[in-house]
DNA sequence: AATCTATTAAAACGCTTGTTTGAAAAAATA
DNA sequence: TATTTTTTCAAACAAGCGTTTTAATAGATT
């Protein structure tokens, strides 16, 4: 009698993968200091020593997870920005198109990660507010170049506006984006149930319009004063 | 020979006060989980047991500190709002006046706390992003009523706008405020040195204009679409 | 001056943390 | 099938955590 190769009923993903996913969930919920190797092991249904075996340390594990989650979003941002530039030919993209390319990819990733949808929003926002030094450093590495690029693009779109004004308003726009992502889970409480966190696309679209208005109107009012 | 009563060269503040101040600094910098009783004791130049003697527990110490820092800001907010209403008589205050009363008091407190000026901005922002449960609860207690009040005021100022729209845009405005406070210490890096964190008043004024624009334009564009 | 209360101080308690160890199990290779 | 490599697992490690205890000190009150 030939028996088929014994496959586990639930074909577990590789331990490495489960560890990273568990780290993402727990980091988003509890932050770096609130995340423990034991909680990761339990959440990933793995042994405590597994995380250190695969990644070497807690820091390395978290960095690997952050890199894996953030890089695709940045790639998509650049793609959308290029697409907008191609679409406009010689004209510079509008502020709305630029901020759309900056913010929309996060919404896409949130929608893609169907399980515990909002954890990614919390995660992205957490990387900005975490006081842990190495996370600050690495986030700067991930984001400083993309910030430079968007500043260039906005300077082209608003050629008469001083560099400093662009800097100020871009900073406010990015801060607003991060604040909105970080606070979104409190939307229901804050609005006494009137608005719901489930409306992912609506939140992203409103956010894009909000920062576009703040940016454009701020730029114009400061240059005419 | 009559000797004057021996006064310490540096008349130390009461231990209780030094502990609270040290807690504020360390909470702003490291968050709740990154703050330890031993670091507080060291920063306050006090004994480890002193904190538990005066406050009972770490939680109680942090709550006392947060309450002491946040309540005056909220009192000032209400005062400015009432002043604006009185100034306008029967007319409702403008969106700019309303958001001024919401945001300006934080700038005042930042300017007042001359030592390590920006720690208060970090502190306020941290209370919104800390994942620790009891901080979420207490922050909700501090802020839910004031949020309700501002929603009422904005509903009077924009009587033709649906409640849900007010809720959405107020949420975005508050989120932007918190994001800007949390991110301000990175302003210099983010703008490659073009903008400086020292310009407290400028930042606050820009922020007020930014959220006012985002709010008003968002309200108008959504009601005319 | 004597008594009582409030505060400070050092040491220890029980618990959790990230990390390491060494052997068992599984998988891959020959 | 035999051997080697990779991965899992339970147990333990040292260090740091919040908190408690017990004694010494300072300040006020009688």
């Amino acid at each position: 009698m030939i028996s088929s190769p014994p496959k586990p009923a639930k074909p577990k993903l590789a331990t490495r993968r489960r560890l990273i996913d568990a780290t993402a969930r727990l980091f988003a919920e509890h932050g770096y200091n609130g995340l423990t190797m034991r909680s990761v092991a339990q959440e990933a249904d793995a042994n405590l020593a597994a995380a250190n075996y695969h990644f070497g340390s807690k820091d390395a594990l978290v960095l690997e997870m952050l890199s894996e989650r953030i890089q695709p979003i940045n790639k998509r941002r650049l793609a959308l920005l290029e697409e907008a530039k191609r679409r406009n030919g010689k004209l510079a993209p509008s502020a709305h198109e630029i901020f759309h390319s900056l913010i929309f990819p996060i919404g896409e990733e949130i929608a893609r990660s169907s399980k515990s949808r909002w954890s990614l929003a919390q995660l992205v926002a957490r990387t900005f507010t975490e006081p842990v030094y190495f996370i600050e450093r690495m986030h700067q590495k991930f984001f400083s170049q993309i910030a430079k690029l968007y500043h260039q693009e906005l300077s082209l779109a608003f050629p008469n506006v001083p560099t400093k004004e662009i800097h100020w308003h871009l900073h406010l726009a990015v801060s607003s984006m991060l604040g909105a992502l970080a606070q979104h889970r409190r939307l229901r409480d804050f609005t006494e149930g009137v608005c719901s966190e489930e409306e992912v696309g609506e939140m992203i679209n409103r956010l894009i319009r909000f920062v576009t208005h703040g940016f454009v109107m701020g730029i114009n009012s400061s240059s005419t004063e």
Side-chain angles (χ1 to χ4, degrees), chain A:
Chain A
M1 178 194 282
I2 298 168
S3 65
S4 62
K7 261 188 184 171
K10 280 187 186 174
K12 290 215 280 188
L13 289 170
T15 303
R16 219 187 123 87
R17 173 109 311 275
R18 297 199 323 271
L19 285 170
I20 289 184
D21 293 343
T23 303
R25 283 194 294 274
L26 295 172
F27 177 82
E29 189 157 349
H30 302 112
Y32 178 83
N33 283 315
L35 174 148
T36 72
M37 298 298 265
R38 284 169 176 81
S39 68
V40 169
Q42 187 174 8
E43 177 91 359
D45 194 24
N47 187 273
L48 168 60
N52 278 298
Y53 171 76
H54 283 283
F55 300 94
S57 70
K58 177 182 173 180
D59 287 13
L61 168 61
V62 173
L63 283 178
E64 180 69 25
M65 179 275 293
L66 288 179
S67 170
E68 187 184 278
R69 293 292 200 269
I70 294 179
Q71 298 284 30
I73 297 178
N74 281 347
K75 285 220 178 83
R76 184 81 173 116
R77 280 172 170 146
L78 300 186
L80 284 181
L81 190 57
E82 286 306 313
E83 190 185 311
K85 288 168 77 172
R86 213 177 322 111
R87 199 169 43 230
N88 284 279
K90 282 200 79 172
L91 251 68
S94 68
H96 188 273
E97 285 174 305
I98 293 174
F99 286 117
H100 177 87
S101 76
L102 177 67
I103 298 174
F104 190 74
I106 294 184
E108 286 181 312
E109 283 299 320
I110 290 169
R112 194 189 323 282
S113 61
S114 56
K115 204 160 204 174
S116 66
R117 304 164 70 86
W118 280 107
S119 72
L120 185 90
Q122 288 178 241
L123 188 150
V124 171
R126 185 88 65 207
T127 63
F128 281 83
T129 52
E130 269 297 321
V132 181
Y133 178 70
F134 83 89
I135 292 185
E136 285 194 5
R137 290 279 301 171
M138 97 132 223
H139 186 274
Q140 189 175 323
K141 198 178 105 190
F142 275 163
F143 209 72
S144 65
Q145 54 183 9
I146 220 171
K148 202 178 297 185
L149 186 78
Y150 274 90
H151 181 269
Q152 281 177 11
E153 213 56 52
L154 288 166
S155 295
L156 292 176
F158 298 86
N160 297 326
V161 176
T163 296
K164 188 175 180 182
E165 290 301 312
I166 304 269
H167 268 127
W168 260 112
H169 288 87
L170 175 58
H171 174 74
L172 286 174
V174 169
S175 297
S176 297
M177 174 187 78
L178 297 169
L181 289 174
Q183 296 306 312
H184 189 79
R185 64 189 166 129
R186 300 198 190 170
L187 175 60
R188 193 188 297 268
D189 276 353
F190 186 80
T191 61
E192 298 179 291
V194 175
C195 306
S196 156
E197 313 105 48
E198 297 306 316
E199 312 158 20
V200 184
E202 186 174 359
M203 178 279 203
I204 294 291
N205 284 331
R206 286 178 184 278
L207 177 59
I208 294 172
R209 285 207 304 269
F210 187 91
V211 304
T212 304
H213 287 145
F215 184 91
V216 174
M217 297 294 294
I219 289 281
N220 289 339
S221 74
S222 70
S223 65
T224 58
E225 265 171 17

